[in-house]
Amino acid sequence: MLFRQLEYFVVLAREGHFARAANACYVSQPALSEAIRKLEHELKVPLVRRGHQYEGLTPEGERLVLWARRVLAEHDALKHEAAALQTGLTGTLRLGVIPAAASTVALITDPFCTEHPLARVRLETDLRSADILERIRRFELDAGIIHPKEQDLADLAVTPLYEERHVLLASGELISGQSDSISWPEALQLPMCLLDEGMRGRQLIDEAISARELVVAPRLESDSLVTLIAHVGTGRWATIVPESWLHTLHPPAGSRVLRLSDPAPTASIALVASAVEPGSALTRAVRRTAERAAADKAFGHLGTT
């Protein structure tokens, strides 16, 4: 059995199409198909349902692709471990990040890159917590920054990072006369733009509103916090965003940041990675960086406006 055969099998499962998988592996389609046939012959089970075209994995293939991903991940981990013993940590850390933490991830990745100058980092910052956890378990990500609440973390190592607080951001003209805080009924009278329903940041807002028997009907919804903040900059909109974003993207000119009273929605943010020991050198390294950042209170300024 060759690692190349396992790689082709995993890529085919991911792409769901022989031609796309062959292109991703930089081989011809017949070469990829033959490699997978040889793998089936060696394992003595059918892995792929074939008709005139790819029709998905067999039940056996669905189970064995999990092992193929694990074998390839362990193979990469072995190579990175050996390289680290000789020249220092190398390879690419694949880190999934929820949108709410996209403005704070640099507090981990910057010291990580400083400490490990031969390592690289690839960030994906538009993923939901559940997607990140699934991809860690499929060995497609090394670690992730997520909202850990209500997630299944049984097989993962969790490093708490900080508590995220949400605040109101609005044009100064819309909230003239307000002090440094605003009540929920007052806030919901403003022309509101919010995150899409289903995103965790929006769920926190909806839960807070529902608990007070209030309703919100935003005229504009987006999956981008940057877009919401940009709309506030026009002077005609208000939004509710994680406070940490306003430490990186300064509030637009003429806008104000107000605390939501009674109280503001909060959410825990944590780094998660596989708990399998010894784990890859990259995963161990980013966990150590996250633990130091949390212990050194690198995120401590995020709870104050």
Side-chain angles (χ1 to χ4, degrees):
M1 186 184 304
L2 302 176
F3 285 112
R4 184 178 65 252
Q5 293 171 317
L6 296 178
E7 179 186 354
Y8 292 174
F9 177 38
V10 167
V11 172
L12 178 61
R14 184 189 72 207
E15 297 293 332
H17 191 278
F18 275 105
R20 288 199 301 268
N23 185 60
C25 294
Y26 303 102
V27 297
S28 67
Q29 184 172 329
L32 180 135
S33 182
E34 180 60 23
I36 292 177
R37 286 187 187 278
K38 289 181 178 178
L39 182 61
E40 291 176 314
H41 178 75
E42 184 166 351
L43 294 174
K44 296 182 174 56
V45 293
L47 300 174
V48 177
R49 290 189 287 113
R50 296 177 176 85
H52 293 295
Q53 57 188 3
Y54 176 82
E55 296 181 356
L57 299 182
T58 64
E60 296 89 343
E62 293 286 358
R63 293 185 61 179
L64 294 181
V65 74
L66 302 176
W67 282 101
R69 292 191 186 107
R70 181 168 184 172
V71 169
L72 291 173
E74 296 288 356
H75 180 235
D76 286 342
L78 174 64
K79 291 189 294 184
H80 293 153
E81 192 80 32
L85 293 173
Q86 296 177 328
T87 61
L89 190 64
T90 61
T92 300
L93 173 70
R94 302 162 301 171
L95 188 62
V97 183
I98 56 173
S103 67
T104 59
V105 67
L107 295 174
I108 293 176
T109 53
D110 179 62
F112 175 88
C113 290
T114 299
E115 185 174 355
H116 308 288
L118 299 180
R120 302 176 64 187
V121 178
R122 186 171 72 243
L123 294 173
E124 294 189 47
T125 59
D126 61 349
L127 301 175
R128 301 189 182 193
S129 295
D131 298 327
I132 290 172
L133 297 180
E134 179 183 356
R135 291 184 62 180
I136 290 174
R137 291 183 172 113
R138 292 171 59 178
F139 303 99
E140 295 175 354
L141 291 173
D142 299 299
I145 299 178
I146 69 165
H147 290 300
K149 186 178 179 181
E150 299 178 359
Q151 300 293 334
D152 178 10
L153 306 172
D155 55 345
L156 299 173
V158 181
T159 304
L161 298 177
Y162 62 96
E163 287 290 319
E164 178 70 273
R165 183 173 68 182
H166 285 67
V167 294
L168 179 92
L169 177 66
S171 162
E173 294 183 2
L174 290 178
I175 51 177
S176 60
Q178 289 285 346
S179 61
D180 61 351
S181 66
I182 189 171
S183 70
W184 281 98
E186 291 172 317
L188 297 183
Q189 293 299 313
L190 300 171
M192 195 68 69
C193 56
L194 294 175
L195 287 173
D196 288 337
E197 291 184 354
M199 298 186 72
R200 182 57 184 159
R202 174 62 182 277
Q203 290 173 350
L204 291 169
I205 295 167
D206 288 345
E207 289 167 5
I209 291 170
S210 177
R212 293 162 179 79
E213 298 183 348
L214 300 171
V215 295
V216 62
R219 293 183 57 197
L220 184 147
E221 294 176 296
S222 172
D223 62 354
S224 167
L225 288 163
V226 172
T227 299
L228 300 181
I229 294 171
H231 275 77
V232 172
T234 67
R236 294 186 293 274
W237 298 87
T239 190
I240 298 172
V241 295
E243 188 174 15
S244 61
W245 275 76
L246 304 181
H247 289 275
T248 305
L249 297 176
H250 297 295
S255 65
R256 292 180 60 198
V257 179
L258 301 184
R259 291 183 292 105
L260 288 156
S261 58
D262 187 33
T266 60
S268 298
I269 304 292
L271 181 129
V272 295
S274 173
V276 174
E277 295 294 344
S280 75
L282 287 164
T283 299
R284 296 200 309 272
V286 75
R287 286 176 58 188
R288 286 194 299 268
T289 301
E291 289 164 359
R292 283 197 299 270
D296 294 342
K297 311 255 186 269
F299 300 96
H301 68 286
L302 301 179
T304 58
T305 50

